[in-house]
DNA sequence: CATGAATGAGGCTTCATTCAT
DNA sequence: GATGAATGAAGCCTCATTCAT
């Protein structure tokens, strides 16, 4: 379940009618705006090069206001990353690991996940930039946190592999843990690649094709 | 240790007795020491958290001395990364892409490369940290440069795949370019994984096994 | 005192009640305070010996505050010099070059200008110090700029001389350009002289007398 | 006799045959070379912008060597200025203040002095740059010293004026002290003017003409 | 609540000077 | 004597953060 360190807990209550509630709603909206602006700024200039003033500027608010919503620069980074992670997760966690019973089914499932994932990469390259670049290098603690997140993604992926092994349509001796990490590596590489691709949409297709081929059949020629 | 594998040996003539030569040699040694110290400091604290003073302190030299050998902080980063890249390359570029004629031969070759590569990852995790973490996130320009480097690694890897396709022991329709990038992703993921592994040496073996299995045979169960 | 003569009055509308206006006014006042402090510091220690911290200290403000109002050390120098130049100009440019028709009138005009000018020199020796010492030697570019300023002063002085030549009360063959520069030289020399004079006020009178005598009649004894 | 603060005392003994003497001679020569190089460097970049390394570089010597001949950067400045002052003095002190008995004779003398002086300005603008720019603004102490030097030059000039007053060919009520200072001002202005003149040689002539005309006859038209 | 003026810790970099070789 | 490697004081500047309005 990923790591919870940068998970936002946004508790909307269903009835939001009092003035205080409306204020809280507006505050929450403001927070979201700031996160959005920070997303853009961190992506464009990089976390360290970006300043609080840049974020405030982006929104046309005073930079003092920023501190009414976030404790400090690190805090907003955490929230931005939580947002990015959530977007990533919402795509990857869509399917049910135990829903497939045959290679064909699983393959279809993988293709679907990849399709959605790589679409995200093409449409929101900021997510890639944040998750695979800024989060990784912000500082040692951030690096550790990010590696934990990657491991979390791998754990999620592993569930699919284990399902396949248990149901017998994947190799019985598959090292599900390491293999899952390797697959995450492929995904990261795809994300980074699309970041600078001239025609990301076209590349996306190739990655889906090539990725699933290797994943399922390997590279070797059928004898 | 660190300073031998990757140091540019400019080919001094065997007679190295003049004062100028000795001075040049000592200067080169100093540069290497500083690079080594920066390696450590950047790895431990991260590029942005690290200061020139930290590097100088590590060596017990005045921080003014640093500037006799490197123009500025960015300069030393470039040199450190060049070193890291060279170490990585020297391991990956060891084999001859066109030397193999069968899957078995190629697989042996891959296993050997992985063996050497993952050994580097285990023994010099700093290289991993520098190449896959710090280089990526230092600043936008560095990010671009690093992605270029990754692409270069992929291009190198592609040569092996193309050889296999041409010789017929790899699938004819293999998308060598994307597949090579995917393999680089696996390598990156392995590096990052070993970075925080409890028992990196043990993990190394699993990665070699699992990695080559997926790569050659895919994950699917033989029907 | 200092801050009134030369301050650019941007013509605020009489109703200056909005917060924004008051803020702008305070900012302008702050800028003026900093310029004033810099005036003092540069005069006392010299431009190169003075530090931003000295200026901030002089005002009892944090040195970071300085940078909210001026881009850098060079910037404040430019502003200080602009102020000094403006004060100098406002004294010299007071009279109308074409207003005089006889030697006597012109001489009275010159005496008045000198009176005002040398009064400035006595009362605000900082202006002299800044314009004739610091500005000249700050750096090669500043030197060129300052020499240009001197030339501008000479150009202004030349207008008076040309008026006299045209009206016939000054020598027809007067080299107005060079003579004007020579007169500026006399003024500079006076300023520098008063800078270290024991009794500047007394010296001032002598300069006015001796200066105008030489200027109009030369040094030679009437035969 | 100027002020002695930056006067070099170079005591050549007539017999210079022993090894020690030859060494001393070579040392003296080295000192002169360094002064010459510093002259150039200070002139080109300005005192503060110039570094000891620049001077050493100019000569192709190690910058440590510099300190074997001069105590510090300020020391070399003093020597350079002494050199410049000497050159200036040697031109101005050429004539005998008491040698003239008529206006015509004195005027000829002045023209000769100006001729030599302004020739120096044209041929060695570095002297001007050093004496009238760098010396003035190096630091407060230097400024004071330089103003003293100017006063010394004025004192020297005053001797000529006093001679004229005593002999009756200059106005009896001439304020010789201030007038002398004014004349120095004209000379300074001339020097600075020639520094940036497009055709210094041509300007030189105009300065001599215009300068002596004003000095002797004033600017007023003969009635 | 919003603001932005004020702050100062912190970091980079320069360069005059020293001193061992 | 000559050298230049080493040094660290000194100074500029940035920017995250605070807080009075």
């Amino acid at each position: 379940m990923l790591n919870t360190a940068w998970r936002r807990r946004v508790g909307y209550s269903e009835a939001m009618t009092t003035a205080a509630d409306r204020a809280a709603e507006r505050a929450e909206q403001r927070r979201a705006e700031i996160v959005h602006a920070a997303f853009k700024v961190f992506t464009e200039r990089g976390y360290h090069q970006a300043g609080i003033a840049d974020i405030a500027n982006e929104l046309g608010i005073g930079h003092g206001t920023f501190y009414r919503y976030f404790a400090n620069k690190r805090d907003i980074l955490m929230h931005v990353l939580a947002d990015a992670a959530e977007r990533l997760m919402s795509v990857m966690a869509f399917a049910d690991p135990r829903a497939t019973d045959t290679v064909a089914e699983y393959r279809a499932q993988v293709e679907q996940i990849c399709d959605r994932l790589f679409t995200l990469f093409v449409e929101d390259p900021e997510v890639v930039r944040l998750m695979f670049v800024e989060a990784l290098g912000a500082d040692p603690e951030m690096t550790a946190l990010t590696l934990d997140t990657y491991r979390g993604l791998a754990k999620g992926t592993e569930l699919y592999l284990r399902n396949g092994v248990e149901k017998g349509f994947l190799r019985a001796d598959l090292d599900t843990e390491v293999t899952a990490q390797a697959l995450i590596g492929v995904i990261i590489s795809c994300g980074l690649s699309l970041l600078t691709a001239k025609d990301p949409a076209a590349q996306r297709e190739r990655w889906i094709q090539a990725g699933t081929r290797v994943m399922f059949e390997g590279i070797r020629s059928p004898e």
Side-chain angles (χ1 to χ4, degrees), chain A:
Chain A
M1 88 161 32
L2 256 193
N3 79 60
T4 57
W6 61 36
R7 223 38 174 305
R8 203 175 1 141
R9 274 135 294 171
V10 204
Y12 297 104
S13 69
E14 57 292 351
M16 202 178 289
T17 47
T18 67
D21 279 346
R22 242 173 298 125
E25 190 188 21
R26 278 208 33 183
E28 196 55 35
Q29 190 181 326
R30 212 5 117 68
R31 291 176 66 88
E33 283 170 12
I34 295 175
V35 168
H36 184 64
F39 222 97
K40 189 178 170 196
V41 171
F42 286 165
T43 300
E44 280 172 6
R45 312 187 196 202
Y47 174 66
H48 281 103
Q49 286 69 38
I52 298 300
D54 294 323
I55 299 172
N57 234 37
E58 184 72 28
L59 287 173
I61 64 173
H63 59 280
T65 306
F66 170 89
Y67 285 93
R68 297 196 60 76
Y69 295 92
F70 295 94
N72 50 40
K73 196 181 175 185
R74 198 109 192 306
D75 189 29
I76 185 69
L77 176 62
M78 296 288 267
H79 279 83
V80 165
L81 292 180
D83 206 63
E86 209 169 290
R87 290 208 234 170
L88 202 60
M89 290 294 287
S90 75
V91 166
M92 296 190 69
F94 187 73
D96 172 8
R98 308 198 58 78
T100 57
D101 296 301
T102 65
V103 174
E105 281 173 21
Y106 178 44
R107 186 162 190 158
Q109 195 184 43
V110 167
E111 270 172 15
Q112 192 198 23
I113 292 176
C114 283
D115 184 68
R116 296 165 50 88
L117 197 55
F118 297 175
T119 297
L120 173 70
F121 289 175
V122 169
E123 291 182 354
D124 295 329
E126 307 133 311
V127 172
V128 173
R129 176 74 195 245
L130 262 304
M131 285 303 291
F132 300 154
V133 176
E134 300 303 331
L136 204 49
D139 64 63
E141 201 190 338
M142 228 39 243
T143 303
L145 216 55
T146 305
L147 293 182
D148 263 11
T149 304
Y150 292 172
R151 207 171 299 258
L153 291 174
K155 280 285 170 215
T157 304
E158 197 183 347
L159 299 178
Y160 295 89
L161 297 181
R162 283 232 282 266
N163 174 65
V165 172
E166 283 165 18
K167 301 227 175 114
F169 62 79
L170 296 188
R171 280 195 285 105
D173 65 346
L174 194 69
D175 185 333
T176 55
E177 185 184 355
V178 169
T179 303
Q181 288 180 4
L183 293 178
I184 295 300
V186 174
I187 287 169
I188 292 175
S189 194
C190 172
L192 294 177
S193 169
L194 294 184
L195 215 49
T196 55
K198 280 158 206 152
D199 182 359
Q203 286 296 83
R204 191 190 76 115
E205 300 307 322
R206 290 178 62 187
W207 273 93
I208 295 175
Q209 288 305 315
T212 49
R213 284 302 282 275
V214 181
M215 179 174 167
F216 283 92
E217 286 145 33
I219 61 175
R220 150 199 84 168
S221 175
E223 84 279 24

